[in-house]
Amino acid sequence: MENCLSAAISSSSSSPFSIFSTQGASSNVGRCQLPKPFLQLNGRPMYLLNQRRSVYLSAGTYKGPIISAANQGWDLGRFLKTLYFFNGPPSPDKIVKFLIEKLSGPSPEESEKKMETTGYVLVVGATGGVGRRVVENLRKKGLPVKVLVRNEEKARKMLGPDIELIVGDITKASTLPAKYFKGVRKVINAASVIIGPKEGDTPERAKYSQGVKFFEPEIKGDSPEMVEYIGMKNLINAVRENVGLRTGKLLFGFEDQISKELDWGALDDVVMGGVSESTFQIDRTGGENGKPTGLFKGIVSTENNGGFSSTRTKNFSSPADLSAYDGLELRLKGDGRRYKLIVRTSTDWDTVGYTASFDTVGGQWQSIRLPFSSLRPIFRARTVSDAPPFDPSNVVSFQLMFSKFEYDGKLNPTFVEGPFELPLSSIKAYMKDPITPRFVHVSSAGVTRPDRPGIDLSKQPPAVRLNKELGFVLTFKLKGEDLIRESGIPYAIVRPCALTEEPAGADLVFDQGDNITGKISREEIALICIAALESPYACDKTFEVKSVVPFSEPFTVDPENPPPEKDYNIYFQTLKDGITGKESLEQSAVAV
């Protein structure tokens, strides 16, 4: 029978597998006496002609290729082990399908996915005095907005029927599942405990709008602890994954006291008939300063027209959403060679990989940043020009590769056959510099003053004087601020002085240390919050703000001659790190 195929099977092919159409074989092939079928593939019998050469042939009307594996030391057992690791127990049908698809080489057809809108700004407290103005101004800028509200009917009546909203309550964590916040990249939190007049208010809350200075106040609804502290904790937990952390997101490896391991498996040129082999291990003391590290090592060979070794993770149990970040950072010890990182967004095994090459420095630990924008869609070392853009919200696996081949026929200039070794201590997603705030919070001036020694309460705003009577409102506002500062989320904390219904446009005073008193327009605060989202100068800053206009003088604007738009960066540039007003409390504690 094998002689019947002598015209079809040749050892002269340059590929480790020889591929022939039955149409290219002798007419005698069709008259061969075939043994019992090895398996059924798509209803057609497949025959194992020679176990040593692994030749398969389909009888009947099958017009596909005949596949011959070269016998230059190719390890069928390792090939099957590779399939088993990534795909579970292999069936003969799956093996032959894979071989035919691998060798026939059609371009993969990627199903087009409907891309969800990303980059939302979430406004919390959107029906309040500051919040609704934030929403209005964001929409004027054409930015995608979502709002988190408790009362849907009230929100749609106030903000419009087309507003995208999340119905939830920050005081109840169960109402804030992570899936509600998919696509949210930035947050402006204007939610606050409600303080109103004891004697009641008009339906339009006219007394409240004048400010607490003009009425005897009391807490309405949930307590300051529930809104300002527990509510802040719940909100941070709900949005943290979506807005990202300043220090990045660890995806694999060992960093400080944190570790995250992935299930890596060898994916070498054995899948194409080669003999290279590699492994990925955890070396508990081989990293920097004797710390743990991953270790990708092996022996690469060009025998059987191979030439690559790689290690790949199993698909993650759930996709990693890295939309809050700008790229991937590898911490590794180089060997002077060029490697590839391949990132996949499809759970299919044989599909497009978004790929970046990187050069290493021999004998040095180094951090290598690969921006998402540098990842190119590659399938079997060829660029796929019509592939969809890389989707950082759906990362399902990683692969490291050392290969003779680059892309589109180019060769790796650092490739050398033989052993290689690449310690890899971590893979993490990173935010590119300059980092801007992802969480802007509207707090209040005066939050550090109730417990400040030596302060003249008679000269302080009512909320400072009545902090205890108002359920320790400022104390819990300060605790809520601390949660933000400790969260790792890039933030800006805006502390307005007394809020008014006056228009924006007055000259402003920005200060730090929690010492100033005065008034400020709600409209102005809304504009400051939006500007802070885009300013690296506002990042991780806490500051107070007021207008230069005293309480005794109303501020008005001539509609025919409005004030020019402010460049808030001028103010943000004056701010310093680490000043919150708590310094005076800590110094006093030390002195005592």
Side-chain angles (χ1 to χ4, degrees):
M1 179 179 62
E2 188 173 3
N3 290 336
C4 292
L5 299 177
S6 59
I9 301 175
S10 168
S11 63
S12 62
S13 170
S14 61
S15 169
F17 288 95
S18 301
I19 305 172
F20 300 90
S21 168
T22 53
Q23 294 174 342
S26 166
S27 60
N28 291 330
V29 170
R31 294 192 292 271
C32 287
Q33 296 298 313
L34 300 177
K36 183 179 179 181
F38 173 63
L39 59 92
Q40 295 286 327
L41 176 60
N42 294 331
R44 293 186 286 269
M46 302 293 290
Y47 295 92
L48 176 60
L49 302 187
N50 185 295
Q51 292 187 25
R52 180 176 58 83
R53 300 191 68 189
S54 303
V55 181
Y56 299 92
L57 174 67
S58 171
T61 59
Y62 177 63
K63 300 299 182 183
I66 297 172
I67 303 166
S68 171
N71 77 352
Q72 302 175 37
W74 184 62
D75 190 336
L76 176 61
R78 195 154 57 87
F79 168 74
L80 296 177
K81 183 178 179 181
T82 298
L83 289 182
Y84 184 90
F85 180 84
F86 291 103
N87 294 298
S91 67
D93 186 70
K94 282 184 179 180
I95 295 171
V96 176
K97 280 184 178 180
F98 167 75
L99 289 172
I100 292 174
E101 291 171 2
K102 177 66 70 178
L103 295 169
S104 57
S107 296
E109 294 183 3
E110 294 283 344
S111 59
E112 291 189 9
K113 297 178 182 178
K114 183 179 179 182
M115 297 294 288
E116 295 184 9
T117 301
T118 59
Y120 282 104
V121 180
L122 176 70
V123 182
V124 186
T127 58
V130 173
R132 61 185 171 84
R133 290 172 169 89
V134 169
V135 173
E136 180 183 350
N137 283 284
L138 286 170
R139 297 177 88 178
K140 283 180 181 178
K141 289 177 170 287
L143 297 173
V145 182
K146 281 188 178 182
V147 300
L148 174 62
V149 296
R150 291 182 294 180
N151 188 319
E152 179 178 356
E153 182 180 357
K154 176 183 177 182
R156 294 203 182 280
K157 183 177 180 180
M158 180 179 292
L159 304 173
D162 60 337
I163 188 72
E164 291 198 54
L165 53 80
I166 300 168
V167 178
D169 186 339
I170 61 173
T171 68
K172 299 177 176 65
S174 61
T175 69
L176 307 175
K179 63 182 181 180
Y180 285 6
F181 301 93
K182 187 172 178 61
V184 169
R185 297 293 166 258
K186 299 181 180 182
V187 177
I188 295 178
N189 179 34
S192 177
V193 69
I194 298 175
I195 300 177
K198 282 186 177 180
E199 66 272 19
D201 206 345
T202 67
E204 296 77 23
R205 301 184 72 192
K207 292 181 181 179
Y208 168 79
S209 297
Q210 288 180 326
V212 70
K213 184 174 182 178
F214 300 96
F215 59 81
E216 187 176 0
E218 69 175 3
I219 299 297
K220 306 285 187 179
D222 291 317
S223 70
E225 181 180 12
M226 287 299 300
V227 177
E228 306 291 350
Y229 180 64
I230 294 174
M232 180 65 75
K233 184 182 298 185
N234 293 337
L235 179 59
I236 289 171
N237 289 337
V239 304
R240 188 196 311 265
E241 284 294 310
N242 293 284
V243 300
L245 302 178
R246 181 188 311 104
T247 56
K249 179 176 181 176
L250 184 66
L251 301 164
F252 162 77
F254 309 89
E255 197 173 72
D256 299 326
Q257 302 302 314
I258 304 172
S259 67
K260 182 166 185 180
E261 296 189 26
L262 297 173
D263 201 357
W264 298 84
L267 186 55
D268 302 314
D269 55 19
V270 66
V271 298
M272 299 299 292
V275 297
S276 301
E277 54 184 314
S278 67
T279 184
F280 192 93
Q281 306 168 349
I282 302 299
D283 186 340
R284 295 295 170 185
T285 59
E288 290 179 273
N289 303 315
K291 295 181 179 179
T293 184
L295 182 61
F296 172 40
K297 68 176 185 177
I299 300 174
V300 66
S301 169
T302 58
E303 188 177 348
N304 285 3
N305 292 322
F308 73 85
S309 281
S310 79
T311 183
R312 177 172 165 177
T313 66
K314 285 185 175 180
N315 290 336
F316 304 156
S317 56
S318 59
D321 184 353
L322 307 181
S323 303
Y325 301 95
D326 300 295
L328 294 168
E329 180 177 290
L330 283 62
R331 184 67 181 170
L332 53 82
K333 185 177 182 180
D335 59 2
R337 300 180 184 182
R338 177 177 295 176
Y339 292 83
K340 297 177 185 177
L341 177 70
I342 303 169
V343 185
R344 285 184 172 81
T345 58
S346 169
T347 55
D348 293 340
W349 185 35
D350 193 30
T351 187
V352 168
Y354 293 85
T355 307
S357 295
F358 58 92
D359 293 315
T360 67
V361 178
Q364 292 186 18
W365 282 96
Q366 59 188 125
S367 294
I368 293 176
R369 286 192 166 186
L370 304 174
F372 292 145
S373 59
S374 71
L375 299 177
R376 55 196 298 176
I378 300 295
F379 185 70
R380 301 179 193 166
R382 297 286 178 182
T383 301
V384 181
S385 58
D386 59 349
F390 174 69
D391 179 7
S393 71
N394 195 54
V395 173
V396 299
S397 70
F398 294 132
Q399 184 177 354
L400 281 170
M401 179 179 286
F402 179 51
S403 175
K404 171 183 176 180
F405 308 100
E406 280 288 285
Y407 320 106
D408 305 320
K410 296 181 180 179
L411 299 178
N412 180 354
T414 71
F415 179 78
V416 179
E417 288 192 73
F420 66 89
E421 190 170 292
L422 186 73
L424 174 73
S425 65
S426 66
I427 301 174
K428 62 191 293 186
Y430 71 88
M431 292 182 182
K432 68 180 180 182
D433 294 324
I435 296 174
T436 56
R438 304 293 178 92
F439 193 111
V440 176
H441 173 57
V442 182
S443 183
S444 174
V447 293
T448 68
R449 299 178 209 175
D451 297 323
R452 188 181 297 178
I455 196 168
D456 186 351
L457 290 178
S458 66
K459 296 180 180 179
Q460 293 300 314
V464 176
R465 299 196 307 269
L466 300 173
N467 180 56
K468 182 178 180 180
E469 290 79 1
L470 293 174
F472 296 96
V473 58
L474 295 181
T475 301
F476 284 110
K477 280 183 178 288
L478 182 60
K479 287 179 177 290
E481 287 186 7
D482 287 340
L483 290 175
I484 300 172
R485 285 187 280 263
E486 295 163 2
S487 70
I489 299 171
Y491 68 87
I493 296 174
V494 185
R495 293 171 170 172
C497 292
L499 292 165
T500 74
E501 291 294 293
E502 295 173 336
D507 290 336
L508 302 176
V509 174
F510 275 56
D511 197 31
Q512 293 180 279
D514 195 20
N515 296 303
I516 61 174
T517 59
K519 66 177 181 178
I520 182 74
S521 156
R522 289 182 173 89
E523 178 74 15
E524 194 85 64
I525 291 298
L527 295 173
I528 290 170
C529 288
I530 294 170
L533 287 177
E534 304 301 326
S535 177
Y537 299 110
C539 193
D540 297 344
K541 304 297 196 304
T542 301
F543 59 92
E544 298 79 49
V545 59
K546 69 172 185 176
S547 79
V548 298
V549 181
F551 260 115
S552 57
E553 298 178 17
F555 176 73
T556 59
V557 168
D558 180 1
E560 301 298 322
N561 187 29
E565 288 189 11
K566 291 187 178 72
D567 178 1
Y568 293 103
N569 259 333
I570 295 174
Y571 298 99
F572 295 146
Q573 288 178 22
T574 67
L575 302 176
K576 298 179 180 179
D577 292 325
I579 301 178
T580 65
K582 293 176 65 176
E583 302 79 32
S584 59
L585 301 179
E586 293 162 358
Q587 291 169 3
S588 300
V590 171
V592 171

